[in-house]
């Protein structure tokens, strides 16, 4: 019997790449995301490429009761997992008061609460031989980021939560890997933002298939942290050297300059100073 | 104002018809009074293309269809819509031009879980050809023209493992998809040898179009802008497509790859029959079709 992987946010750019990377390694897949229709299309696409089982179930992970329903279903099927990849995450970018309270809460519910709940649940449905968990944080986890304050803080939470839990659960054959990628070239808005940053964007961007397969490989080698791309590792090192208030100041200044100096329309350049 | 010539009114379907080569070719065909079914990705660009052509040829017999050919769902839907349209107009399809293509610097996955360039540049044309084959068979001389590129040369592909490579270079994926265009054309002719339907691949030459700038940016876009300045105009390049489309039914040629209205020499890897069969098998599988889909009555 194949090993079984559960992937959230499975029809987003990184989610699809993760699912394909797992399929290539022979994992059966349990995919979840918001849209049942897109899940069904993607699942069929994977089955045509790889001889594996693909199960899918739509769920809105910002809603605790849907998470519970998802796990009730998993329990009813008595599924046992070898790998959980928490990809689902979102951001509503903008200065704090320009983002509604509901949107802010949504970021925290999905990026923070759902990951904690999914992690708790999967620990009760794991195989004895071992369980790998990959939590997708962001390079933003290493900085206080104006204009993405709640998002960056939520990713910081994920980073610290994952590293701490990794230590706690090591003896129980549970290995947790935190993925901290820079901006990924997944949709048009991300591509525009990468392009808007010129050479810096180009340098920090890594192909998602390389991120996905590299991350999976490191997770199976029981690594705790993966930052794809040397330039991004250097950025992280710089983040460790400089005082946090100075970092916040630098990031905010760069964002404001990029905004005033750019002719890119709204959505694009609302994106970040450094590509996180 | 230009006049519309009255020659046999062919029915032609062309994908990627809202810019570059596709736009020029649809304009040239509309100018000849052909019934042109043009496919673009979104309504706005279709409207712009239609206005541009109607400004020159107000009586152009032109219909636009919107479909994002990266999604197989939309390719299938397009085929159904086109068949309905042909039924209403009581027409067969004379020429299918698989022109749509994209270039991506970054690895991108379609909703079907496929690499974007392979899905758009090759699989969309494959699936559309299969779905519309019945209509092409009704024509006295059905033609499937696929726009490839000289860049298909000097590349090798393990077709059985396509898409599973870990590394991704945009240009290599592009070259592979263009090699696939040729191998598909070859295999179509082999499978259709006892039918009047013929498939040809076309090298459009280097043309000044936006393919290298739409989804790239930075160095690639800069390089493409410089390079494409020396290129042909899309109208010069469209000549080969028009020339092949208007050939009479009794025109015979052993060649299946053309550039500048002349037979051209395809790359060595494009002539491998095992590769052509392997590509066919994998394409059919990735589209959820049986290997013998040309005879299986799946079209329509």
């Amino acid at each position: 019997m194949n090993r079984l992987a559960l992937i959230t946010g499975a029809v987003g750019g990184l989610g699809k790449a993760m699912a394909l990377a797992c399929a290539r390694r022979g994992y059966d897949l349990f995919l979840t995301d918001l849209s049942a229709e897109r899940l069904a299309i993607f699942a069929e696409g994977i089955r045509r490429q790889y001889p594996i089982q693909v199960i899918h179930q739509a769920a809105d992970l910002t809603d605790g009761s849907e998470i519970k329903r998802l796990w009730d279903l998993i329990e009813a099927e008595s599924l046992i997992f070898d790998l959980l990849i928490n990809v689902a995450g979102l951001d509503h970018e903008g200065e704090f008061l320009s983002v509604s309270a509901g949107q802010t809460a949504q970021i925290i519910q999905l990026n923070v609460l759902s990951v904690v709940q999914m992690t708790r649940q999967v620990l009760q449905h794991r195989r004895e031989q071992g369980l790998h968990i990959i939590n997708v944080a962001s390079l933003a986890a290493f900085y206080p980021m104006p204009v993405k304050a709640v998002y960056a803080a939520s990713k910081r939470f994920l980073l610290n939560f994952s590293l701490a839990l990794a230590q706690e659960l090591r003896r129980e054959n549970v290995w947790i890997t935190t993925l901290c990628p820079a901006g990924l070239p997944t949709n048009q808005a991300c591509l525009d933002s990468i392009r808007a940053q010129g050479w810096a964007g180009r340098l920090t961007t890594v192909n998602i298939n390389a991120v996905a397969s590299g991350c999976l490989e490191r997770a199976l080698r029981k690594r705790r942290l993966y930052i794809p791309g040397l330039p991004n590792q250097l950025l992280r090192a710089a983040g460790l050297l400089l005082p946090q208030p100075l970092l916040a100041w630098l990031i905010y200044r760069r964002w404001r300059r990029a905004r005033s100096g750019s002719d890119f329309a709204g959505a694009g350049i609302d994106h970040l100073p450094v590509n996180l | 104002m230009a006049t519309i010539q009255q020659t046999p009114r062919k029915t032609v379907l062309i994908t990627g018809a809202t810019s570059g080569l596709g736009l020029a070719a649809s304009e040239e065909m509309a100018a000849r009074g052909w019934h042109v079914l043009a496919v673009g990705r979104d309504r706005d660009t279709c409207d712009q293309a239609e206005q541009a052509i109607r400004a020159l040829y107000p009586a152009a017999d032109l219909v636009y269809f919107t479909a994002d050919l990266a999604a197989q769902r939309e390719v299938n839907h397009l085929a159904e819509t086109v068949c309905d349209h042909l039924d209403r107009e009581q027409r067969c399809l004379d020429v299918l031009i698989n022109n749509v293509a994209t270039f991506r610097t970054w690895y991108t996955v379609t909703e079907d879980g496929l690499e974007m360039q392979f899905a758009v540049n090759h699989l969309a044309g494959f699936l559309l050809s299969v779905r519309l084959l019945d209509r092409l068979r009704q024509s006295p001389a059905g033609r499937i023209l696929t726009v490839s590129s000289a860049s298909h040369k000097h590349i090798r592909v393990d077709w059985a493992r396509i898409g599973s490579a870990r590394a991704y270079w945009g240009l290599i994926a592009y070259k592979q998809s263009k090699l696939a265009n040729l191998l598909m054309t070859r295999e179509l002719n082999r499978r259709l040898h006892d039918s009047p339907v013929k498939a040809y691949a076309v090298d459009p030459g280097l043309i000044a179009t936006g393919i290298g700038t739409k989804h790239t940016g930075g160095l690639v876009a800069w390089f493409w802008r410089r390079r494409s300045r020396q290129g042909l105009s899309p109208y010069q390049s469209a000549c080969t497509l028009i020339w092949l489309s208007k050939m009479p039914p009794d025109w015979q040629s052993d060649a299946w790859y053309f550039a500048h209205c002349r037979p051209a020499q395809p790359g060595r890897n494009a002539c491998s029959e095992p590769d052509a069969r392997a590509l066919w098998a994998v394409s059919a599988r990735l589209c959820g079709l049986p290997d013998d889909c040309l005879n299986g009555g799946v079209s329509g």
Side-chain angles (χ1 to χ4, degrees), chain A residues 20 42 44-51, chain B residues 112-115 162-164 285-286:
Chain A
L20 289 168
F42 181 51
E44 182 55 30
I46 301 177
R47 285 188 206 109
R48 288 173 187 170
Q49 293 179 65
Y50 299 97
Chain B
D112 301 296
L114 298 163
E115 190 274 312
I162 185 77
S164 60
R285 180 161 53 81
L286 293 178

Side-chain angles (χ1 to χ4, degrees), chain B residues 15-26 39-40 45 49 99 101 209-211 214 234:
Chain B
T15 60
T18 55
S19 66
L21 176 59
L23 177 61
S26 45
V39 183
T45 50
N99 167 66
T209 71
I211 192 170
K214 281 182 192 163

Side-chain angles (χ1 to χ4, degrees), chain B residues 23-220:
Chain B
L23 177 61
S26 45
E27 180 184 322
E28 291 286 310
M29 294 185 296
R32 285 171 166 73
W34 294 356
H35 184 58
V36 180
L37 313 176
V39 183
R41 190 167 40 169
D42 57 70
R43 200 71 254 172
D44 282 355
T45 50
C46 283
D47 287 347
Q48 281 164 21
E50 183 165 8
Q51 277 165 21
I53 294 178
R54 289 209 188 280
L56 293 167
Y57 309 102
D61 189 4
L62 195 62
V63 188
Y64 279 85
F65 297 88
T66 54
D68 179 358
L69 301 180
Q72 289 180 13
R73 188 169 46 95
E74 298 210 21
V75 179
N76 286 324
H77 180 71
L78 172 69
E80 282 167 26
T81 318
V82 166
C83 287
D84 288 348
H85 173 85
L86 293 171
D87 287 344
R88 264 199 314 278
E89 300 267 315
Q90 296 188 317
R91 286 170 179 278
C92 59
L93 184 62
D94 296 301
V95 186
L96 165 64
I97 304 182
N98 292 314
N99 167 66
V100 72
T102 185
F103 179 83
R104 301 293 168 122
T105 307
W106 303 110
Y107 178 86
T108 320
V109 192
T110 68
E111 67 170 34
D112 301 296
L114 298 163
E115 190 274 312
M116 179 67 76
Q117 295 194 68
F118 185 71
V120 173
N121 301 5
H122 164 63
L123 271 188
F126 169 83
L127 186 52
L128 206 52
S129 304
V130 172
R131 295 282 183 210
L132 294 174
L133 187 68
D134 273 1
R135 307 310 169 117
L136 287 157
R137 282 188 203 267
Q138 291 165 6
S139 164
R143 296 285 177 262
I144 299 172
L145 309 184
T146 302
V147 178
S148 179
S149 157
S151 69
H152 75 271
K153 293 177 182 175
H154 314 298
I155 187 87
R156 294 177 68 93
V157 189
D158 181 355
W159 294 110
R161 289 164 53 88
I162 185 77
S164 60
R166 197 184 132 175
Y168 175 84
W169 287 278
L171 194 58
I172 288 179
Y174 184 78
K175 286 160 81 80
Q176 290 180 340
S177 71
K178 291 289 137 185
L179 176 58
N181 293 150
L182 264 75
L183 288 169
M184 176 187 85
T185 300
R186 203 190 146 76
E187 184 67 7
L188 272 170
N189 283 328
R190 194 182 70 78
R191 289 177 180 244
L192 294 170
H193 67 277
D194 56 353
S195 119
V197 180
K198 296 276 171 276
Y200 301 116
V202 174
D203 165 21
L206 174 65
I207 327 175
T209 71
I211 192 170
T213 57
K214 281 182 192 163
H215 301 281
T216 52
L219 212 55
V220 176

Side-chain angles (χ1 to χ4, degrees), chain B residues 227-284:
Chain B
R227 201 167 100 92
S228 63
R229 263 183 230 152
Q230 300 148 21
L232 304 168
S233 88
Y235 295 96
Q236 288 170 304
S237 182
C239 285
T240 314
L241 293 174
I242 307 293
W243 178 73
L244 283 169
S245 304
K246 72 179 185 198
M247 279 299 172
D250 54 355
W251 179 71
Q252 295 281 343
S253 172
D254 288 337
W256 51 279
Y257 178 54
F258 293 86
H260 311 297
C261 303
R262 278 194 300 272
Q265 183 63 43
R268 201 150 32 98
N269 287 333
C271 298
S272 152
E273 191 170 314
D275 279 4
R277 285 173 193 258
L279 172 66
W280 187 276
V282 81
S283 305

Side-chain angles (χ1 to χ4, degrees), chain A residues 126-142:
Chain A
R126 64 178 142 148
R127 217 181 296 285
E128 300 238 330
Q129 296 91 310
L131 168 72
H132 293 273
I133 299 177
I134 297 173
N135 286 333
V136 179
S138 162
L139 203 53
F142 297 108

